[in-house]
């Protein structure tokens, strides 16, 4: 049974940083591409970033390029998202999901709030 547990969210001031984590279990993590999505209040899900099983292959939404960095630790079955220079519009619940995973995400997500 696939299980994804996000953590690391919180309240941060504009310009601040957070590092999100996603602990995966129930599948061979190293074989799968992984992604971060987010859902802001009153809006739909949007893609944030993705990383393939080859960790050198990454992709980013235009609105996070240069600010966010995705990475993975296959030895620990964990996905990360380093978020720098956070903006109020980054406020959302952030979810991780493997390539081809059940849509919409069923995990709890982690809340990120950017506010002064």
């Amino acid at each position: 049974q696939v299980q994804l547990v996000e953590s690391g969210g919180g309240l941060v001031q504009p310009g601040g940083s957070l590092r999100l984590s996603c602990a995966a279990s129930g599948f061979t993590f190293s074989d799968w591409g992984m992604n971060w999505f987010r859902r802001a209040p009153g809006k739909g899900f949007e893609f944030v970033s993705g990383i393939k099983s080859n960790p050198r292959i990454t992709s980013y939404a235009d609105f996070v390029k240069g600010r966010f960095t995705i990475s993975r630790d296959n030895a620990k079955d964990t996905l990360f998202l380093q978020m720098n220079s956070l903006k109020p519009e980054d406020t959302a619940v952030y979810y991780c999901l493997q390539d081809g995973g059940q849509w919409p995400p069923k995990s709890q997500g982690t809340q990120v709030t950017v506010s002064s």
Side-chain angles (χ1 to χ4, degrees):
Q1 179 180 348
V2 172
Q3 187 170 15
L4 300 167
V5 180
E6 302 91 345
S7 62
L11 173 63
V12 63
Q13 293 185 342
S17 298
L18 284 173
R19 189 190 194 205
L20 306 185
S21 298
C22 168
S25 62
F27 63 105
T28 306
F29 179 77
S30 59
D31 288 348
W32 288 87
M34 295 294 298
N35 306 280
W36 287 101
F37 293 87
R38 71 185 187 185
R39 189 172 189 181
K43 296 186 178 180
F45 288 96
E46 59 181 354
F47 172 80
V48 175
S49 183
I51 185 168
K52 295 302 181 183
S53 54
N54 179 344
R56 297 179 181 178
I57 302 174
T58 59
S59 58
Y60 297 92
D62 286 344
F63 53 78
V64 302
K65 281 182 180 177
R67 300 189 298 125
F68 292 9
T69 303
I70 192 170
S71 61
R72 64 191 299 160
D73 184 341
N74 288 338
K76 296 183 178 180
D77 292 351
T78 304
L79 177 72
F80 302 101
L81 186 68
Q82 177 67 43
M83 306 188 297
N84 299 328
S85 302
L86 282 161
K87 305 175 181 180
E89 51 264 43
D90 294 318
T91 295
V93 179
Y94 285 71
Y95 302 86
C96 61
L97 191 68
Q98 73 273 32
D99 283 352
Q102 187 178 14
W103 188 262
K106 296 296 188 291
S107 54
Q108 65 180 14
T110 187
Q111 175 71 50
V112 172
T113 302
V114 185
S115 175
S116 55

